[in-house]
Amino acid sequence: MTQFLRIFGVCLALTLAVGGAVAQVQAPTPAIAEIRVEGNQRIERETILSYLDIRPGDQADATRVDNSLKNLFATNLFADVTISRAGNALVVRVVENPVINRIAFEGNRAVRDEVLEPEVQLRPRVVFTRSRVQADVQRLLQVYHRNGRFAASIEPKVIQLPQNRVDLVFEVNEGPLTGIRRIRFIGNRAYSDNALRAAIQTKEARWWRFLTTDDTYDPDRVSFDQEQLRRYYNSRGYADFAVTSAVAQLTPDGRDFFLTFTVDEGARYTFGDIDVVSRIPELNANDLRSFVSTKKGETFSSAAIEDTILDMTFEAGRFGYAFVDIRPRITRDGEARTIAVVYEVAEGPRVYVDRINIAGNVRTLDSVIRREFRISEGDAFNTAKVQRSLQRVRALGYFDDVQMNQRPAESPLPPELQGVAPADRVDLNMTVRERSTGELVFGFGYSTTDQFIADISLSERNLLGRGLALRLGITYATRRQDLDLSFTQPYFMGRGISAGFDLFTRTSDLRRTSSYMLSTQGFSLRAGLPLTENLSSSFRYTLRQVGVESVGDNASRYIREQEGKRLISAIGYSLLYDRRNDVLFPTEGYALRINQELAGFGGEARYLRTVAGAEFHTPLWSEDWIGTLAADVGHITGLGKDLSIADRFYMGGDTFRGFRNSGIGPRDPDTLDSLGGKAYYVTTAEMSFPIGLPRDLGVRGSVFTDMGALWGPGIEPGPSGIFDSTEPRITYGTGLSWMSPIGQIRFEFAWPLRTEEFDRTERFRFSFGSRF
């Protein structure tokens, strides 16, 4: 019985205890009577309360507290937030994020602050957060990656200041430039790795490329290189060519990349049958066939097809057909390896250009860009003209980048276009990024003609943002001194005519060849007019004073008689038809030119001078072997007055290798002074070729032969007569040229095959020069 009572008592006590606990849990939590905010300095109490899910009178359950914490942290205003209960009060304690006082960069030398600052999203007086800082660090690293520095590292430092402010300092370790150690190609059979390396812009790192960044890794440049490879193969008949991959592998030390292009060349094609079909009844296909530059049997070239479409589109527009759509229908013959092309001319959709918008130009005026467009607002939309406009703006040289896109027009229709559907109107949006167009150029060099040379020039190609060109140049050489000022307005009076002037003063020491010094001072006015895409003309008026001075005591009597100064007033023109692929270093194409000057509009000289020339360049056995044929002729005739010694032609040196300056032509038999001639001709046959060094090093060899003559001084000979001969002189030789970082260096050896006994030969010429 006693045992039973003990067990009963224990069970009763446990039951009472559990019941009390249940009653305690189920008891309702008192509501929040007030909310206190602690720790805030800049942020108002009401602002913090607005982010809470709890209000006085609410129950402070776990869900509401959790949501309130999330809302406050999401503002990025606080470094820490805690919510606790003190009796019937809810206490919100905050630690505010500091405010940025100043942002600075340290350790950056290769990339300036002005380039880094736009990439940083944080700004002074903005709340500091670590997540934003890390995002800015990643953006800054992308800038260094684009500049070829993949080993760069950036560490943000925070300097605490009073009043909960901080200075943010990005400490930069730029590291070395990440170069391209090796460029490899996989899948190429038709062209060697060296040939393909020369076709792309990215280059392998070499010591002589210290003045360029082409040997650093740039993902955008690699993408451009893929397009360059496609164009390279397509222009040589490989219509199915594709770059299947372009992989850049970073070396373990992070200093260089291995760049590998995998290509699929496909088969090589030639053009098959070529035809033009017009779907526009009023437009005869025969009128367009003469503008087809693709010929049957020639190597297939996508560039030639694009040029043909552009020429035919412009020609159709000239006939009044603005809405033409020319599409090439291509038919491949796999067995014959030919591609037949039919140019189908159809009426295109009637789309008009509504607005042309230009953005990104800070200095350059809109009008300077708009005048290069071949399409205007309100014109019929034409893809070929849009692409040509884009090319012309890029060719200005004022911008680092030019992009064009088109979108449906958004502006309301003008009254004259009411009824045209919005889908038939487009806006052209061009975005440009300007580059520096001013140059301060110092130069030095040496040549066997002028010996040591130094020059300085100050130029601006986009003066006042109006596209004006201004140049001041000074040259001082052992045997020549020049000072000239030139100004050019490329669109005079708002038309496609260039106009400008030149002021000049020049002194040449000719005492070694003709026993006198020649001085020239004057000015010229000029204008240029492009007639077609390849044919250009220019006109000029020149007023100059020419002086034959410092004549030696032992000089020829023909020179002593002309000592003094003469005023020459002359007009002239020139025509140039240029189909070369490069103006400075052509490898293909030809150019024809003629230049005439008529003196006698005032002044003391009367003559007509004519100079004409032609040159032709073509690849020989391969693209690295270039053949060149060139010819120049000249003639000057006096119009009622004798010719001055300064008016005549002189040949030798650079104009006829194998002879000294003024080394051929009429000569005084007593003093052997060169007297110049009234007529000349010179022809050149040259072949340049690689010598086994890497192609991009720029070292090439050449063999050449020159043939020509200069005769007829146009003066009455004295008792001793004048050495003069129309017999051709012939030389042959070899040369070596290197396009070095300090300019082109040339070595040329020439030997005469045929000369006259009074000629002055020169076996070796050396020259180099640079601008920096």
Side-chain angles (χ1 to χ4, degrees):
M1 186 64 180
T2 303
Q3 184 69 21
F4 173 77
L5 291 174
R6 289 178 179 176
I7 294 173
F8 178 78
V10 170
C11 292
L12 180 60
L14 290 173
T15 301
L16 292 173
V18 171
V22 171
Q24 182 177 0
V25 171
Q26 292 178 350
T29 303
I32 299 299
E34 63 171 329
I35 300 176
R36 296 201 300 268
V37 178
E38 300 177 356
N40 58 314
Q41 300 178 27
R42 304 182 316 277
I43 304 172
E44 297 292 335
R45 176 178 179 275
E46 288 72 17
T47 302
I48 298 175
L49 293 177
S50 67
Y51 289 102
L52 299 179
D53 274 3
I54 305 173
R55 300 290 182 269
D58 292 342
Q59 296 291 329
D61 58 67
T63 301
R64 290 182 174 180
V65 170
D66 185 59
N67 288 339
S68 298
L69 287 171
K70 290 178 179 178
N71 292 341
L72 290 171
F73 276 114
T75 64
N76 286 324
L77 298 174
F78 309 104
D80 191 24
V81 179
T82 61
I83 299 178
S84 62
R85 183 160 183 165
N88 291 336
L90 188 70
V91 180
V92 180
R93 294 184 178 86
V94 297
V95 178
E96 293 180 353
N97 276 324
V99 172
I100 296 175
N101 176 64
R102 184 174 65 94
I103 297 176
F105 303 92
E106 293 183 357
N108 57 310
R109 294 180 177 83
V111 182
R112 297 174 298 175
D113 289 4
E114 292 79 4
V115 177
L116 297 177
E117 285 171 354
E119 302 295 329
V120 177
Q121 300 298 311
L122 289 171
R123 293 287 184 270
R125 297 183 297 280
V126 172
V127 175
F128 170 91
T129 65
R130 296 192 179 277
S131 59
R132 289 181 177 179
V133 172
Q134 291 304 317
D136 284 343
V137 168
Q138 293 304 314
R139 279 189 286 269
L140 293 174
L141 287 175
Q142 289 299 320
V143 174
Y144 276 96
H145 291 174
R146 290 196 298 269
N147 283 270
R149 297 179 182 270
F150 283 79
S153 61
I154 300 175
E155 185 176 354
K157 297 291 186 181
V158 178
I159 302 174
Q160 299 291 338
L161 299 174
Q163 301 177 353
N164 200 26
R165 296 176 302 124
V166 295
D167 284 345
L168 178 59
V169 179
F170 292 97
E171 292 187 353
V172 182
N173 179 12
E174 294 182 323
L177 285 170
T178 308
I180 303 295
R181 186 176 298 180
R182 184 71 176 169
I183 301 176
R184 294 175 294 189
F185 297 88
I186 298 176
N188 55 310
R189 298 181 302 276
Y191 300 101
S192 66
D193 284 10
N194 286 337
L196 298 184
R197 290 189 191 105
I200 62 178
Q201 186 176 353
T202 303
K203 305 299 181 184
E204 293 178 347
R206 295 292 185 269
W207 67 267
W208 59 82
R209 295 199 177 97
F210 62 88
L211 294 179
T212 180
T213 60
D214 288 346
D215 58 349
T216 59
Y217 177 69
D218 184 345
D220 294 335
R221 189 187 298 134
V222 172
S223 299
F224 176 72
D225 288 338
Q226 296 183 57
E227 177 63 16
Q228 291 292 92
L229 288 171
R230 187 190 69 81
R231 288 179 174 273
Y232 182 85
Y233 271 91
N234 285 172
S235 64
R236 290 159 176 80
Y238 293 88
D240 301 326
F241 173 83
V243 179
T244 57
S245 68
V247 179
Q249 290 181 301
L250 189 63
T251 57
D253 58 7
R255 298 178 66 90
D256 293 298
F257 275 96
F258 289 100
L259 185 58
T260 304
F261 293 93
T262 302
V263 302
D264 181 7
E265 293 181 329
R268 188 177 189 184
Y269 293 84
T270 58
F271 280 113
D273 293 331
I274 307 294
D275 197 9
V276 179
V277 176
S278 176
R279 308 297 183 191
I280 304 176
E282 297 83 3
L283 184 59
N284 192 337
N286 292 327
D287 295 333
L288 301 177
R289 283 194 172 91
S290 61
F291 294 89
V292 177
S293 58
T294 52
K295 306 298 180 183
K296 183 177 181 180
E298 293 183 349
T299 302
F300 173 82
S301 173
S302 59
I305 294 178
E306 294 172 1
D307 292 342
T308 296
I309 293 175
L310 182 63
D311 292 342
M312 292 173 64
T313 300
F314 276 106
E315 182 65 12
R318 193 173 67 84
F319 280 99
Y321 297 94
F323 301 100
V324 293
D325 182 18
I326 302 177
R327 297 187 179 183
R329 188 176 73 239
I330 294 176
T331 305
R332 283 181 171 84
D333 186 338
E335 294 183 0
R337 301 288 175 85
T338 61
I339 295 180
V341 182
V342 177
Y343 296 96
E344 294 186 340
V345 184
E347 191 167 3
R350 294 182 174 270
V351 180
Y352 295 88
V353 176
D354 187 46
R355 292 186 180 275
I356 298 176
N357 304 311
I358 301 173
N361 52 316
V362 179
R363 293 180 58 248
T364 308
L365 300 181
D366 277 13
S367 59
V368 173
I369 302 175
R370 289 180 184 272
R371 68 194 184 193
E372 299 299 328
F373 276 70
R374 288 298 172 260
I375 194 168
S376 302
E377 293 175 345
D379 286 354
F381 177 82
N382 187 299
T383 302
K385 292 183 178 181
V386 170
Q387 291 301 316
R388 181 57 180 161
S389 301
L390 182 62
Q391 293 172 1
R392 289 178 62 88
V393 174
R394 287 174 174 168
L396 288 174
Y398 304 158
F399 311 107
D400 281 324
D401 185 46
V402 182
Q403 299 296 330
M404 176 94 81
N405 62 70
Q406 61 196 54
R407 294 184 180 180
E410 299 178 356
S411 60
L413 283 171
E416 61 271 17
L417 291 180
Q418 293 293 335
V420 179
D424 294 337
R425 298 183 299 123
V426 295
D427 289 342
L428 297 179
N429 301 311
M430 173 172 283
T431 304
V432 300
R433 187 173 73 247
E434 291 182 316
R435 67 167 56 150
S436 175
T437 55
E439 294 179 345
L440 177 62
V441 180
F442 298 90
F444 71 93
Y446 178 86
S447 74
T448 50
T449 302
D450 298 312
Q451 295 187 352
F452 290 101
I453 306 170
D455 68 13
I456 179 173
S457 66
L458 177 64
S459 63
E460 171 58 60
R461 294 178 290 113
N462 188 16
L463 185 65
L464 303 177
R466 299 177 180 273
L468 309 176
L470 179 67
R471 181 185 181 275
L472 173 65
I474 302 173
T475 300
Y476 183 86
T478 306
R479 298 172 184 162
R480 177 170 59 92
Q481 295 83 45
D482 296 342
L483 172 63
D484 61 88
L485 173 68
S486 64
F487 173 81
T488 302
Q489 162 60 283
Y491 276 78
F492 184 65
M493 301 289 289
R495 302 180 180 273
I497 301 174
S498 65
F501 67 84
D502 301 281
L503 302 175
F504 52 85
T505 176
R506 299 165 186 152
T507 302
S508 301
D509 187 350
L510 305 177
R511 288 176 292 188
R512 294 187 61 189
T513 59
S514 300
S515 301
Y516 71 93
M517 294 188 67
L518 180 67
S519 66
T520 306
Q521 300 86 31
F523 72 90
S524 64
L525 304 176
R526 47 185 165 75
L529 176 64
L531 303 177
T532 67
E533 289 294 320
N534 303 111
L535 179 62
S536 61
S537 64
S538 63
F539 305 89
R540 65 192 175 277
Y541 169 75
T542 304
L543 181 66
R544 62 183 181 270
Q545 181 177 263
V546 179
V548 177
E549 304 169 341
S550 302
V551 178
D553 295 336
N554 298 322
S556 167
R557 71 179 185 88
Y558 304 109
I559 298 175
R560 293 198 305 269
E561 291 173 353
Q562 300 190 32
E563 184 173 8
K565 296 183 178 181
R566 302 166 67 239
L567 187 65
I568 300 176
S569 176
I571 62 171
Y573 78 93
S574 62
L575 290 174
L576 172 64
Y577 186 75
D578 195 346
R579 297 301 298 266
R580 295 172 295 177
N581 61 346
D582 189 277
V583 176
L584 296 178
F585 303 103
T587 60
E588 190 173 1
Y590 63 92
L592 306 173
R593 56 186 173 273
I594 184 172
N595 187 318
Q596 283 193 309
E597 182 179 68
L598 176 62
F601 297 86
E604 304 169 56
R606 303 285 190 276
Y607 63 76
L608 175 64
R609 180 198 300 266
T610 303
V611 176
E615 58 184 87
F616 173 74
H617 310 269
T618 184
L620 299 175
W621 302 278
S622 71
E623 295 179 350
D624 289 332
W625 293 69
I626 308 300
T628 298
L629 295 175
D632 282 283
V633 297
H635 183 269
I636 183 171
T637 182
L639 302 177
K641 286 193 175 183
D642 292 337
L643 292 173
S644 166
I645 190 172
D647 300 333
R648 303 170 200 151
F649 297 109
Y650 294 84
M651 290 187 63
D654 293 329
T655 59
F656 201 142
R657 291 166 291 189
F659 295 93
R660 298 180 188 175
N661 287 338
S662 304
I664 70 171
R667 197 175 298 275
D668 187 327
D670 297 325
T671 64
L672 297 182
D673 285 334
S674 176
L675 302 178
K678 295 174 57 178
Y680 79 91
Y681 73 90
V682 61
T683 60
T684 296
E686 183 168 351
M687 179 178 65
S688 64
F689 49 86
I691 61 173
L693 295 175
R695 181 177 179 180
D696 55 299
L697 183 59
V699 179
R700 295 180 62 83
S702 64
V703 292
F704 60 85
T705 179
D706 293 342
M707 180 178 70
L710 172 69
W711 67 92
I715 55 179
E716 190 68 27
S720 301
I722 294 177
F723 286 155
D724 191 16
S725 174
T726 60
E727 292 297 320
R729 279 73 153 180
I730 302 175
T731 62
Y732 71 97
T734 183
L736 185 69
S737 66
W738 176 31
M739 185 52 67
S740 73
I742 62 171
Q744 189 177 40
I745 298 176
R746 294 179 60 88
F747 301 88
E748 290 180 322
F749 299 86
W751 295 269
L753 282 175
R754 184 170 181 176
T755 67
E756 296 294 327
E757 62 179 15
F758 52 87
D759 292 335
R760 295 292 179 263
T761 61
E762 179 181 73
R763 298 288 182 88
F764 170 70
R765 291 186 69 83
F766 161 73
S767 65
F768 78 88
S770 175
R771 286 177 173 250
F772 53 87

